[in-house]
Amino acid sequence: MTAEAESGTKVLRMAASTSEDPKTGAMSSSEKLKFQGSGAPYTSDRGAGGSEAPSEMPAEGGRPRTLIATDGIGKYFPVRSGFFSREQKLLRAVDGVSIRVRRGETVGLVGESGCGKSTLGRLMLRLVEPSFGRVVYDGRDLVPLSAAALRPLRRKMQIIFQDPYSSLNPRMTVRAIVGEAIQIHKLAKTKRDEEDMVASLLLKVGLRPDVMGRYPHEFSGGQRQRIGIARALAVQPEFIVCDEPISALDVSIQAQIVNLLMDLQDDLGVAFLFISHDLRVVRHISQRVAVMYLGKLVEQGTNDQLFDGPLHPYTRALLAAVPTPDPEKKRLRIVVQGDAPSAIDPPEGCAFHPRCPRKVAGTCDKQVPQFAEVTHGTGHKVACWNPHTE
Amino acid sequence: MSVSSSGSTTAPLLRVRDLVTTFRTERGLLRAVDRVSFEVAEGATLGIVGESGCGKSVTALSILRLIPHPQGTIERGTIEFRGKDLLGLSARAMQDVRGNEISMIFQEPMTSLNPVYSVGWQIVEAIRLHQKKSRGEARERAIEMLRLVGIPAPGSTIDAYPHQLSGGMRQRVMIAMALSCEPNLLIADEPTTALDVTIQAQILELLSDLKTKLGMGVLLITHDLGVVASVCTDVVVMYAGQVVERASVENLFAHPRHPYTRGLLRCLPTFDKVALSEPASAARDTLLAGEALASSLGSESGCAPKRTRPRLPVIEGLVPDLFALPQGCRFQDRCPLAVAQCRDAEPELLVVGEARDGSPHLARCIRANEV
């Protein structure tokens, strides 16, 4: 029990360090209502469609297939436009997203930085308090749960962080960092067992076991990330949010880690939300993929649907921008220009229209497209007025 | 004398010969860069590829003589830039080369920019440090550079602070700053690693355009072979401080001659459906790797779980400890082709072929012809 309590506080500490502003967690119910109103196109559609509604999960052998699902989840961060300004604007980091991860499945989540994919991952773990919407884990809505009620669930959900510099305690040895979770969750019988486990975890992530006595500052960024991965893997969780877990690693090690994550999934049935901007890796590791742009999903489908027949111009642009390891195809294809617009004042209509090569004047810049299947029954959804259906 | 990509024989812009850079550490003397040689021709882009710790960044810092003192020393070799030996220059003369004739851009645009000054102030400072220009002239030049790198509304963006800009915009500012003195050589250390793919494509395109426009040579340090294929003309592959392969980009990708290069190319996931549904070799490789790992750990679980999905081919094992390098070839422990001979003596970097333009293809492997 104490072990559980400790793990809970650890995760909470993590939560405190990752959520941008502690104040934003507490929002009045009137604010919530206001948010819900503006997120309506997504939430209401989802409710009526029913196919993704987490409350109606099909049961298989008595257990719901869906491990974790969000229902119109959203997070708005209040931002001040200037230091002394009274005017408060809202940054719509995540704006009514419904996404589902089945047991033992990997869902890839791709999008550019600032599109809200990391926030969505943290919302699913309730490391960030949602402004509206629901998160259902194994049949239970996480959002109304108290910190104490959440604790037993915390140990089943882990996160691998993106930034290896801020996610490791500089005063702890590698042995202590990786061993801490093993101790807290009482996964080792003896000190000797624990050390063996730490050693094997280190080997798995591509580090020599003899580095155990060293401190994080003695490692390169890539090596630190491996320590972080070893730490998350140590407790054998059911669901791991992998937030750009391999972007800091070397190519040969990336392949090892991707294989390792897949092995873990096969062995332990762990489910992943694999957040990445590396589309090649996402294609390799995921069963289903969701593409996010400016806080909303713009396309979602199975791996093959999305990579072989992308419907959204943004998905196409992302795929085209990946450099091919073939010098004969030297020219990069730049489909979209410029940066993604700000999530504080998102463009009217479809958020992608200012960069879109296929925009339809009068429609795309005026009306928000619905996120829906193009062909009924395929499960391949897109939010676009002029998708690539030909 | 090298042959430039245009085919005419000219002195290269940069010629590094037998460079050895060492660091004094608590564990002893570390040879981070070990007899590295390469050339960058005018208008060419040389890619240096390798894993972290292979010495690629130290090579770049050595060229600029930015190795931290006193623990780091350039022990041996020559670095010839436009005919002059950089290692023989005084600190003062070197200062004039840095940022002026040779510029460098770093991986992390947030930590390389000073957060308390506007980006314009920082570019103006860089310009005025190297060129006799008034504040007003330097500002004009800075705006011009920001426009050149594709920053919208450069007249107002110049007064923005780094935190107000996105990662891609910051990297553009870094490039603008690096190019503001029209260097002959640009050293770019992982310039797009921190960026999104659509922004990466824009930045790489921008670098290619500027290279053509300004006629500069580029030394691109990266771990991304996709980036190398997209923008480089020649490639150096480094492993454990040494050059293990050097070739034109076409040769390297079509006919890699070092097992390490081949391994790097194979472990890249592709969009290719064929590669994904043809897992035979990949699955076998991983199975072997898994077994090796399990046996080396004395794994108590012992059960072999089902592998339903293809795995990526991997290069087994780890980069060797530079303090405990094996006798012979440094790649031997990870090499699928290793034979007894590989442990006897360190292989030389030998000519194994040539590019279309006649430049040599070098590889440091005694079995290069079998790769």
Side-chain angles (χ1 to χ4, degrees):
Chain A
M1 262 305 100
T2 42
E4 256 178 36
E6 266 179 63
S7 77
T9 42
K10 183 168 162 273
V11 179
L12 284 176
R13 232 189 300 132
M14 243 159 53
S17 63
T18 49
S19 82
E20 285 74 358
D21 184 351
K23 274 185 293 181
T24 56
M27 281 199 172
S28 72
S29 53
S30 64
E31 270 175 319
K32 277 186 191 168
L33 278 174
K34 196 170 68 191
F35 290 145
Q36 230 144 16
S38 63
Y42 278 78
T43 45
S44 58
D45 174 51
R46 185 74 52 247
S51 64
E52 294 258 317
S55 51
E56 296 155 37
M57 291 172 297
E60 232 176 44
R63 305 197 83 173
R65 283 168 64 224
T66 300
L67 180 64
I68 185 163
T70 68
D71 183 15
I73 197 91
K75 179 66 187 179
Y76 290 179
F77 292 107
V79 286
R80 279 186 300 183
S81 43
F83 193 70
F84 294 108
S85 167
R86 286 237 182 135
E87 190 195 356
Q88 215 174 51
K89 287 184 168 178
L90 291 169
L91 185 146
R92 297 158 189 235
V94 176
D95 201 1
V97 169
S98 297
I99 191 168
R100 181 168 53 130
V101 181
R102 299 189 184 99
R103 275 186 187 279
E105 174 188 55
T106 301
V107 174
L109 182 62
V110 298
E112 292 176 280
S113 48
C115 74
K117 55 192 195 300
S118 287
T119 306
L120 178 59
R122 282 164 168 74
L123 281 169
M124 289 173 88
L125 304 180
R126 235 188 100 183
L127 292 174
V128 170
E129 292 296 326
S131 303
F132 53 86
R134 294 197 301 155
V135 183
V136 180
Y137 184 88
D138 212 4
R140 287 173 78 187
D141 189 355
L142 296 187
V143 178
L145 291 186
S146 68
L150 209 72
R151 247 167 240 156
L153 289 170
R154 290 276 191 211
R155 57 190 293 185
K156 298 182 179 174
M157 304 183 282
Q158 287 289 313
I159 182 165
I160 298 169
F161 289 101
Q162 176 177 9
D163 181 3
Y165 289 87
S166 57
S167 57
L168 300 178
N169 187 335
R171 288 160 175 268
M172 284 164 76
T173 61
V174 174
R175 166 83 174 73
I177 289 169
V178 181
E180 188 183 31
I182 296 174
Q183 273 171 26
I184 287 168
H185 295 283
K186 298 204 169 93
L187 297 173
K189 288 189 195 79
T190 63
K191 275 269 172 230
R192 180 75 222 158
D193 276 1
E194 187 189 316
E195 194 145 319
D196 287 348
M197 288 172 82
V198 173
S200 92
L201 282 161
L202 290 175
L203 262 176
K204 272 185 181 173
V205 298
L207 290 170
R208 259 170 242 289
D210 60 24
V211 303
M212 263 194 234
R214 297 209 220 157
Y215 290 88
H217 75 265
E218 298 175 62
F219 297 90
S220 71
Q223 289 167 323
R224 285 183 216 205
Q225 188 61 302
R226 293 174 219 179
I227 298 167
I229 292 169
R231 174 179 60 183
L233 297 179
V235 296
Q236 298 162 6
E238 288 182 328
F239 175 60
I240 304 181
V241 171
C242 308
D243 191 354
E244 302 268 10
I246 57 158
S247 40
L249 303 180
D250 285 316
V251 183
S252 78
I253 304 301
Q254 283 190 356
Q256 292 177 3
I257 298 296
V258 167
N259 287 349
L260 171 69
L261 290 172
M262 291 171 88
D263 288 351
L264 269 160
Q265 188 159 56
D266 286 353
D267 297 352
L268 309 167
V270 64
F272 296 125
L273 180 74
F274 194 87
I275 302 172
S276 180
H277 62 260
D278 188 332
L279 291 131
R280 288 186 296 232
V281 171
V282 168
R283 157 123 233 195
H284 184 76
I285 200 173
S286 309
Q287 279 94 37
R288 291 190 302 128
V289 182
V291 182
M292 208 168 166
Y293 190 77
L294 228 59
K296 292 180 179 177
L297 295 188
V298 296
E299 187 162 0
Q300 189 182 42
T302 65
N303 202 327
D304 290 346
Q305 284 171 340
L306 207 109
F307 286 100
D308 294 338
L311 296 171
H312 201 284
Y314 179 62
T315 311
R316 296 225 156 187
L318 279 181
L319 292 174
V322 175
T324 327
D326 180 359
E328 306 297 328
K329 297 173 188 159
K330 206 154 205 135
R331 275 317 257 198
L332 293 160
R333 285 174 296 158
I334 298 184
V335 181
V336 295
Q337 292 292 344
D339 284 351
S342 160
I344 297 173
D345 289 306
E348 211 181 314
C350 170
F352 186 60
H353 87 262
R355 299 171 83 191
C356 184
R358 289 172 66 89
K359 63 172 169 276
V360 182
T363 309
C364 296
D365 52 359
K366 294 280 186 294
Q367 293 162 281
V368 178
Q370 295 285 310
F371 187 57
E373 288 178 348
V374 171
T375 314
H376 187 71
T378 57
H380 189 176
K381 292 184 175 181
V382 66
C384 181
W385 290 114
N386 188 18
H388 289 266
T389 43
E390 67 279 1
Chain B
M1 198 73 19
S2 86
V3 183
S4 78
S5 52
S6 60
S8 61
T9 311
T10 47
L13 182 66
L14 176 80
R15 177 190 287 169
V16 176
R17 278 273 165 274
D18 277 327
L19 180 71
V20 176
T21 304
T22 58
F23 287 89
R24 260 181 292 153
T25 71
E26 283 173 17
R27 295 177 65 199
L29 199 69
L30 177 87
R31 261 194 178 201
V33 175
D34 194 1
R35 289 162 290 148
V36 164
S37 303
F38 57 82
E39 279 126 38
V40 184
E42 244 167 75
T45 302
L46 176 75
I48 300 187
V49 195
E51 298 181 83
S52 43
C54 74
K56 55 192 197 298
S57 290
V58 176
T59 302
L61 293 174
S62 301
I63 294 167
L64 285 168
R65 283 175 52 193
L66 288 173
I67 298 294
H69 266 291
Q71 62 271 41
T73 326
I74 298 172
E75 280 209 345
R76 235 179 48 197
T78 54
I79 299 172
E80 237 174 77
F81 175 68
R82 300 171 83 198
K84 63 188 165 202
D85 182 12
L86 294 184
L87 297 180
L89 293 184
S90 68
R92 178 86 198 86
M94 193 60 215
Q95 191 77 50
D96 287 339
V97 171
R98 251 181 249 134
N100 201 13
E101 293 175 71
I102 307 178
S103 274
M104 183 154 177
I105 48 180
F106 299 90
Q107 176 178 358
E108 227 323 303
M110 192 67 217
T111 49
S112 322
L113 286 168
N114 190 331
V116 302
Y117 293 107
S118 69
V119 296
W121 190 95
Q122 296 179 58
I123 302 174
V124 165
E125 187 202 25
I127 294 171
R128 278 170 51 92
L129 205 60
H130 296 292
Q131 293 178 357
K132 288 195 169 61
K133 280 204 162 113
S134 73
R135 202 155 274 285
E137 283 166 354
R139 192 180 156 89
E140 295 266 292
R141 174 86 184 135
I143 293 175
E144 193 188 311
M145 288 312 298
L146 290 176
R147 184 173 296 122
L148 187 68
V149 298
I151 286 184
S156 57
T157 310
I158 191 168
D159 294 316
Y161 287 83
H163 75 268
Q164 295 172 305
L165 302 174
S166 67
M169 284 296 152
R170 277 183 224 136
Q171 196 57 291
R172 279 164 203 263
V173 168
M174 286 302 298
I175 294 171
M177 197 185 293
L179 299 183
S180 59
C181 296
E182 297 193 3
N184 304 94
L185 177 68
L186 177 72
I187 301 176
D189 190 354
E190 306 268 9
T192 58
T193 305
L195 304 176
D196 292 313
V197 279
T198 60
I199 310 299
Q200 167 173 282
Q202 293 172 24
I203 295 285
L204 292 176
E205 185 77 13
L206 170 72
L207 279 177
S208 297
D209 284 355
L210 292 175
K211 186 188 77 176
T212 319
K213 233 179 260 176
L214 307 174
M216 61 182 181
V218 178
L219 184 62
L220 180 75
I221 295 166
T222 182
H223 65 270
D224 188 333
L225 288 160
V227 170
V228 169
S230 308
V231 299
C232 293
T233 46
D234 302 277
V235 192
V236 163
V237 181
M238 286 185 73
Y239 188 75
Q242 292 182 323
V243 174
V244 293
E245 187 160 3
R246 214 174 101 190
S248 71
V249 73
E250 290 83 11
N251 274 6
L252 191 96
F253 281 82
H255 312 288
R257 303 298 289 277
H258 195 282
Y260 176 61
T261 313
R262 194 189 56 168
L264 280 182
L265 287 170
R266 285 177 64 209
C267 67
L268 273 183
T270 58
F271 287 136
D272 213 341
K273 198 81 206 293
V274 184
L276 281 174
S277 57
E278 202 178 71
S281 62
R284 196 174 53 241
D285 280 8
T286 319
L287 207 66
L288 289 172
E291 275 167 12
L293 191 68
S295 61
S296 75
L297 286 175
S299 167
E300 63 277 7
S301 59
C303 60
K306 272 189 299 198
R307 298 282 181 254
T308 49
R309 292 172 292 166
R311 297 296 194 260
L312 293 169
V314 297
I315 301 176
E316 287 166 36
L318 307 173
V319 175
D321 185 347
L322 288 176
F323 288 108
L325 287 172
Q327 165 108 30
C329 175
R330 295 181 181 185
F331 189 61
Q332 56 178 279
D333 291 341
R334 306 175 78 184
C335 184
L337 296 178
V339 290
Q341 259 177 297
C342 301
R343 298 178 213 292
D344 294 341
E346 194 168 272
E348 294 294 316
L349 192 61
L350 296 174
V351 176
V352 293
E354 63 177 38
R356 274 177 223 155
D357 65 9
S359 64
H361 185 154
L362 307 172
R364 194 186 288 279
C365 179
I366 55 169
R367 299 185 70 184
N369 291 326
E370 298 162 57
V371 174

